[in-house]
Amino acid sequence: MLSMKEKEMIEGSLRGEERCQRALFERYAPLLMGVCQRYCRTQAEAEDVLQDTFVRLFAKLNHYGFQGSFAGWARRLCVNVALKTYQRKRFSLEQTGLDDVPEHGGAPTAYTDLGEQELLDLIRQLPDGYRIVFNLYAIEGYSHKEIGQQLGIQEASSRSQLLKARKLLQQQIERRQRIAI
Amino acid sequence: MNPLDDLFREGLGDRKAEVPADLWQKIAARKEAIPAGEALDHLFADRLARRQAPVPAGMWDRIAAARRRTPWPAYALATFLLVLAALTLFLWARPQVPQPEPTALRNANSAAFPLTAPAANAATTNAKAGVVSSSEMPPPPDRPYPAVSPAHTAPTPTRTAAPVVASTTLDVPPPALATAVSALPVTLSLVVVAPLPLPELSAHPTTPGFRALGSNRLRGEVLLGAAYAHQRFTLREGESRAVRDAREVSEFPELSYQLTARLQYRLGQRWSLHSGLTYAEIRNQLEYDALRNGVMTLVRRNNHLRLLEVPVLAGYDLSRGRLRLSLNAGPVANLFTAVGGQYLDPNQGEPRDLASSGHYRGNVGLGWTASLTTTYTLGASHATQLLLEPFFKSYPRSFTHPGAPLGEHYWMAGLQLGLRRAF
C-alpha cells in the first residue's frame, strides 16, 4: 500500500516535476543500488545499471498504474535492466568450471558470522551465469521456467546453473570456516 | 649435543599440556553444518533481499543528463518542421507568372504608345545589332510590342541610349541627328517607365517556348553518403529464440555508406528518370566477452553486407530556379549481395562465420527507395549542380534464405552529397 507521500511523489513525477522525481530517486535509489550490486560484478557496472534503471523508470512510470507495491515494481524493472545489460555487454562464451573460481581472499569467518558485505562478495565472485540464476531464483523468487524465459535458456540449464552456484558458494563458505577454526 | 637442548627435551618432551574443558564445545559450535539447497538460498535471501546500498554522489546528475540525451520526438518534430518550411520556401520561391495588368493601366499604355511607339520601335530596331536580340522574338499575339526582360531593362536610359545614338548616327542624316537624339531619351524613358508586363522572357531560360533542355536532357551524377541501417530479426523456429536474443544484444549498427553513379534523363519540365549503379555497405559491430588466458576480454568485430544494385527512380521537381527541390522514388533491383563477419550462437562455443553459415542469399531481389534532392546550380553555365539528398531505402525480403533459423531485414536512412553534370 502506498503512503500518501509516495503517491504524491509518483504523481508529481508523472507530471514531470523534478522535485518529485528527485524525491522518488532518493527514496528508492539505495534499495535499487542493492539489487544492482548483486547482479553486477563491479561497482562501476552497478552504477551504470542504476542509472539506466532510473532513466527507464521515469520513462515508464505511467505503466505502474498504482497497482501493488511501487518498490516491487521498481525492483522488477531494475532486475530487467540488469539482465538486459548483462546480455548486451556481458554476453560471454566463458565455460567457467568450478576449478576456475578464484580463491576467496576474505577474512576467515564462520558462516553464522557472515555479514551482508561478505555474502555480497561471495555472490559477486560467481561466474555471470551462475550469479544471475542464483539471484533470480534464491533472492528474487523466480521459477526456473520464468528464468528460462527471461534469459532465453532451457529450464534444465537454469536448474543446473543454480546447483553449480550453490555448490560454489558452499565451497567458499566451507573454506572460510575451515580457516576460521 | 648442547646441554641446553637436553635440558628442554628432558623437561618438556613428554609434557602433556592441559586441554581446556570447553574446547570441544567451542569447535563443535563453530563447525555447524554449512547449509545446503534451500537453506543456503535463505541464508543469502534473508540478508540481501532488502539490503540497501549507499548511492554514489552525483548519481542524480548522471540520470538527469542521460534523460536529456535522447529527445527523439523533439528531433522528429524539428525535422518535420524543417522539411515543411523548406518545401514552403521552395514552392513560394518559384518564378511568378505575371498577372494581367489592370485595365486602366493597359488603356493608359495603349494611349501612350501611339505617341512613342515609332521612336521606340526605331530605337529598338537600331539597337538590335548592338544591344539585345530580344526584338527577334515574335511578339505575342496579345502584346503590341516585343517583351523585354526586366533584366534587360535594368540599365538606366542613359546607358541604353548610348548605342542607340551610335546606331542612329548611321541611319539618320546629320540634320535630323539633333532632333533624334533629343527625342530618344524621352522615348526611351517612356519605354522603360511604362510598366510592361513581360512574362515570356522574364522567366528562366527553361520556360516553354525556349527549349534549352535539348542539350541538357541527359546528365550524369555521382553521390556518396552515410546511412544508418536498421537490423531486424524475425523468428522462424521456436528454438531460434536464443539465437535471436544473442544476436540482438551482441550486434550494434555502425555507420553504413553507399556510393551511387547514375544518369538523369529529363522527360519534360518537371519529370525526370534516374538510373545507374549503387554500391552500398551495411555495417554492424559484433561485441562479446571471451575468456582468454583466464581474463575476460571484450572482443569487437565488424560485420558487413555488401550490395550492388540498380535504382530506377522517377523524379519530380517541386520547385524551380537555381535552388531546386525534387522528389524521387522507385524500385531498387539488387544484383548481388555478399555477407562477411561473425555472429554468436549460444549453442556453440565460438562465434560462427556469417558467410559459411549458408543462411544468406546472394540476391535480395527488389527493394524500394525514396529521396528528396536539393539541387544548387553552380556557375553561369548551369552545367554543374551540387546535390544534397536525404534518402530512405527498404528491403521487404529477408537477407536470409527461407530455411534459415532467423529472418533478417533491413531499412536504411541517410544523407548523400553529390555532383550532377550536364553532357
Side-chain angles (χ1 to χ4, degrees):
Chain A
M1 193 68 178
L2 286 175
S3 67
M4 279 307 290
K5 195 175 176 187
E6 281 179 320
K7 198 173 176 190
E8 282 171 17
M9 282 192 293
I10 295 168
E11 286 173 345
S13 298
L14 279 167
R15 288 193 298 270
E17 292 174 20
E18 189 168 341
R19 183 181 55 85
C20 294
Q21 291 176 346
R22 177 132 200 185
L24 206 61
F25 163 79
E26 282 169 2
R27 186 177 186 88
Y28 288 102
L31 175 71
L32 298 182
M33 189 64 190
V35 176
C36 295
Q37 285 182 341
R38 276 192 286 111
Y39 282 87
C40 299
R41 201 187 282 267
T42 66
Q43 178 67 14
E45 281 179 16
E47 289 175 14
D48 287 347
V49 170
L50 184 69
Q51 176 190 313
D52 289 350
T53 298
F54 272 98
V55 169
R56 204 160 164 207
L57 185 146
F58 290 125
K60 306 251 175 193
L61 199 55
N62 55 332
H63 294 193
Y64 167 55
F66 297 94
Q67 301 291 316
S69 150
F70 181 76
W73 180 81
R75 191 189 175 98
R76 278 194 300 280
L77 186 77
C78 182
V79 170
N80 286 338
V81 172
L83 294 182
K84 199 75 181 167
T85 306
Y86 154 73
Q87 287 176 321
R88 190 174 64 238
K89 291 185 177 171
R90 288 271 161 199
F91 189 91
S92 166
L93 297 175
E94 63 179 322
Q95 304 289 322
T96 308
L98 300 185
D99 296 336
D100 298 323
V101 177
E103 291 283 327
H104 188 270
T109 321
Y111 92 87
T112 46
D113 297 336
L114 287 171
E116 286 182 359
Q117 190 57 48
E118 285 84 5
L119 291 173
L120 180 67
D121 290 343
L122 287 174
I123 287 185
R124 291 172 99 171
Q125 285 178 2
L126 290 173
D128 286 346
Y130 299 175
R131 188 175 69 253
I132 299 290
V133 171
F134 184 79
N135 266 314
L136 289 173
Y137 185 90
I139 300 179
E140 313 296 347
Y142 283 54
S143 68
H144 286 299
K145 187 177 178 182
E146 288 169 330
I147 294 171
Q149 287 170 348
Q150 281 273 1
L151 301 181
I153 59 175
Q154 301 289 326
E155 279 185 57
S157 299
S158 173
R159 283 201 181 82
S160 158
Q161 301 241 25
L162 176 68
L163 291 177
K164 288 174 182 169
R166 282 173 175 166
K167 191 170 180 181
L168 273 174
L169 290 170
Q170 273 186 303
Q171 282 181 353
Q172 293 295 324
I173 294 172
E174 193 177 2
R175 194 169 285 149
R176 280 171 165 244
Q177 189 159 278
R178 203 181 301 141
I179 299 167
I181 289 171
Chain B
M1 186 66 70
N2 190 321
L4 192 63
D5 293 350
D6 293 339
L7 175 66
F8 276 92
R9 188 180 306 110
E10 287 166 10
L12 299 175
D14 297 327
R15 179 179 178 274
K16 289 181 179 166
E18 281 186 22
V19 175
D22 59 344
L23 182 61
W24 177 246
Q25 283 78 5
K26 283 182 181 172
I27 292 172
R30 304 285 284 189
K31 197 175 181 303
E32 288 177 63
I34 295 167
E38 299 284 336
L40 185 74
D41 297 351
H42 285 305
L43 169 68
F44 283 88
D46 291 347
R47 298 191 194 175
L48 295 182
R50 286 173 186 77
R51 176 177 173 272
Q52 299 204 350
V55 179
M59 179 52 76
W60 175 250
D61 294 334
R62 283 176 61 179
I63 292 166
R67 291 182 68 201
R68 282 194 293 268
R69 205 175 292 157
T70 52
W72 294 113
Y75 287 165
L77 183 65
T79 307
F80 174 74
L81 291 175
L82 201 62
V83 171
L84 196 67
L87 270 172
T88 309
L89 182 70
F90 280 120
L91 291 175
W92 279 5
R94 287 168 54 192
Q96 298 295 311
V97 175
Q99 298 299 314
E101 55 192 283
T103 313
L105 192 56
R106 185 188 292 269
N107 292 341
N109 288 340
S110 302
F113 269 113
L115 296 174
T116 57
N121 205 11
T124 309
T125 307
N126 291 334
K128 267 196 302 191
V131 183
V132 290
S133 60
S134 59
S135 58
E136 289 175 4
M137 297 291 292
D142 61 338
R143 305 260 176 243
Y145 298 102
V148 179
S149 161
H152 296 147
T153 58
T156 61
T158 310
R159 289 173 61 191
T160 311
V164 172
V165 171
S167 61
T168 305
T169 52
L170 297 176
D171 300 337
V172 181
L177 182 60
T179 313
V181 170
S182 62
L184 271 172
V186 177
T187 309
L188 286 173
S189 67
L190 281 173
V191 170
V192 172
V193 171
L196 278 177
L198 307 166
E200 285 75 22
L201 292 183
S202 66
H204 194 268
T206 54
T207 49
F210 188 81
R211 296 185 62 82
L213 283 173
S215 60
N216 289 328
R217 277 181 184 275
L218 197 61
R219 297 176 184 208
E221 52 194 37
V222 179
L223 298 112
L224 175 65
Y228 162 77
H230 180 79
Q231 181 190 46
R232 182 172 62 86
F233 293 108
T234 53
L235 278 177
R236 293 223 175 99
E237 303 165 4
E239 293 76 25
S240 59
R241 183 183 297 273
V243 181
R244 184 197 63 179
D245 291 348
R247 292 197 63 180
E248 280 182 349
V249 299
S250 61
E251 293 179 26
F252 307 97
E254 280 193 301
L255 198 64
S256 300
Y257 67 90
Q258 74 172 28
L259 177 66
T260 301
R262 66 190 183 198
L263 291 172
Q264 181 206 38
Y265 184 76
R266 295 201 67 82
L267 298 171
Q269 292 305 310
R270 289 185 178 273
W271 288 97
S272 59
L273 204 61
H274 306 250
S275 187
L277 210 55
T278 296
Y279 170 79
E281 186 163 317
I282 295 174
R283 301 170 73 233
N284 291 312
Q285 187 170 74
L286 168 69
E287 282 185 19
Y288 62 95
D289 285 349
L291 198 62
R292 290 182 174 171
N293 302 323
V295 179
M296 195 66 73
T297 311
L298 181 65
V299 181
R300 291 194 175 99
R301 293 180 191 280
N302 289 322
N303 292 345
H304 58 256
L305 280 158
R306 292 178 174 140
L307 314 167
L308 192 64
E309 51 202 20
V310 176
V312 182
L313 308 178
Y316 181 78
D317 286 352
L318 297 172
S319 67
R320 312 295 301 277
R322 187 172 280 272
L323 196 61
R324 292 184 181 198
L325 194 68
S326 325
L327 186 64
N328 313 308
V332 177
N334 183 259
L335 300 177
F336 172 73
T337 301
V339 65
Q342 293 180 318
Y343 73 100
L344 294 183
D345 184 343
N347 303 315
Q348 305 285 327
E350 288 294 322
R352 295 188 64 188
D353 189 61
L354 286 166
S356 61
S357 68
H359 295 157
Y360 285 81
R361 298 174 191 270
N363 182 320
V364 291
L366 280 181
W368 64 270
T369 184
S371 60
L372 198 62
T373 311
T374 305
T375 310
Y376 182 74
T377 304
L378 300 173
S381 65
H382 294 248
T384 307
Q385 293 174 327
L386 192 65
L387 309 178
L388 180 70
E389 184 177 290
F391 70 95
F392 177 84
K393 190 158 54 167
S394 175
Y395 301 93
R397 288 179 78 188
S398 168
F399 278 62
T400 55
H401 290 297
L406 291 179
E408 190 172 334
H409 297 265
Y410 284 93
W411 57 256
M412 289 176 79
L415 186 68
Q416 296 189 109
L417 271 172
L419 282 175
R420 177 184 291 161
R421 179 91 185 154
F423 293 127

